[in-house]
Amino acid sequence: MIKRIVSLPGDGIGPEVNNQAIKVLKACAEIAGFQVEIDEHDIGGISIDKHGIPLTESTIQACLAADAVLLGAVGGPKWDTLEGHLRPESGLLGIRKALGLYTNLRPVKVFDALKDASTLKPEVISGVDMMVVRELTGGLYFGQPKGPRTVNGHDDVVDTMAYTEAEVERIAHAAFKLAMTRRKKVTSVDKANVLATSRMWRSVVERVASEYPGIELEHMLVDNCAMQLVRNPRQFDVVVTENMFGDILSDEAAMLTGSIGMLPSASLGESGGLYEPVHGSAPDIAGQNKANPLAAIASVGLMLRYSFGEHNAADLLDKALEGILSRGWRCADIPLHATVILGTEEMGDAVVEDLYDFARLNNGAKEIV
Ligand code: NAD
């Protein structure tokens, strides 16, 4: 079985962390007994330099034909003065849209070894393991009308929050299905006391919930959710919400873990999937072998789970990451309690080594060459 992966390294530290993620993916594939074929394409600033635009048709077509896409990061000061549609970040929005990726998953898991790295007290964040499911292609960011206009002779500007029932239904199904594989609780976040879209959201989520009798559903207003995330984050399992609320809450939830260099994400549609670290291109440390590749590597774990159904390999990777952190091996971004500081490349090698060790310990089920 061959899995075709498109790698979009992008800019800054993107290529450095993507290289490590690919190294780890190849090791996981060998252990799990499948093959990967990697095809590299341009996106972001490098695409602007080479082709004049941040996202070319050939990159889109390659991604559409792939089983999954692994993206590094885009952007940097070199391209900051370009017009909006020519900026590296518009390549990112373009590829998500072209692939129809309406579900964004951001796992927020506090590793025991890193619980002191958070700005919150260890006893508050210890054991946090939640998944934010954000609707990615609807709501306020896409609704029409949008932008400046003239009303009764006066200048005006408008954004529109719009959702169809079908859009809410599909993201709700994604959340409930995910909850079935986890602790079986869904928190649906809205602003139903004020917004009509939220009232529709709530009734659709309730209807979908009736198809998943084993799952506990609670509704929470977004302002309360923002507060509960820092008050008692352990109460959450799967949090599902619309685009803008998800944008804000997932960044808030992300900070519980203490480092942006640790956070992976997955964007899923009807097929395929795009996997990327949450962080940006970190131009300040690019090319210095200082970037923490663990977010990109953890994104491979999500790919194994959500695109390939390779749960054993994903579990093994989780174990390897936990093992490395509990030994105090860190990159320079999380120096706290470090026993050794590794470079980007060395951290990738360490994960691969641990993967093979764990696979041998587990007696690997399959023979590892
Ligand atoms: P950033 O995430 O790139 O960096 C913020 C800080 O975190 C920097 O100090 C950086 O050195 C550090 N950092 C980030 N990732 C790290 C890692 N893996 N290991 C160690 N340290 C890490 O955010 P920014 O500085 O606001 O943006 C830089 C560029 O990246 C901008 O052009 C921005 O538009 C772009 N960006 C891209 C994405 C994306 O591609 N998904 C996301 C956010 C920002």
Side-chain angles (χ1 to χ4, degrees), residues 184-254:
K184 300 191 170 41
K185 178 178 174 191
V186 170
T187 305
S188 173
V189 177
D190 60 37
K191 189 71 183 167
N193 52 344
V194 178
L195 299 175
T197 43
S198 282
R199 287 192 282 277
M200 183 272 276
W201 176 283
R202 204 173 263 220
S203 73
V204 172
V205 168
E206 264 168 23
R207 195 169 70 221
V208 172
S210 66
E211 297 176 40
Y212 301 86
I215 306 289
E216 178 195 348
L217 168 67
E218 69 173 354
H219 299 285
M220 195 176 277
L221 296 175
V222 62
D223 36 355
N224 184 26
C225 184
M227 197 241 303
Q228 295 297 335
L229 273 173
V230 287
R231 196 186 74 88
N232 175 20
R234 260 194 308 272
Q235 69 185 287
F236 296 109
D237 179 16
V238 174
V239 172
V240 62
T241 190
E242 68 88 43
N243 202 342
M244 183 183 65
F245 297 160
D247 192 2
I248 297 167
L249 293 177
S250 60
D251 267 26
E252 186 190 353

Side-chain angles (χ1 to χ4, degrees), residues 23 46 51-52 118 138 179 207 209 231 236 245 331:
K23 195 155 83 181
I46 189 162
H51 316 289
S118 173
R207 195 169 70 221
R231 196 186 74 88
F236 296 109
F245 297 160
C331 284

Side-chain angles (χ1 to χ4, degrees), residues 13 73-76 89 92 260-261 276 279-285 291-292 333:
I13 62 168
V74 299
E89 294 77 4
L92 210 54
I260 196 160
E276 58 182 318
H279 62 72
S281 60
D284 52 331
I285 54 167
N292 184 347
D333 58 325

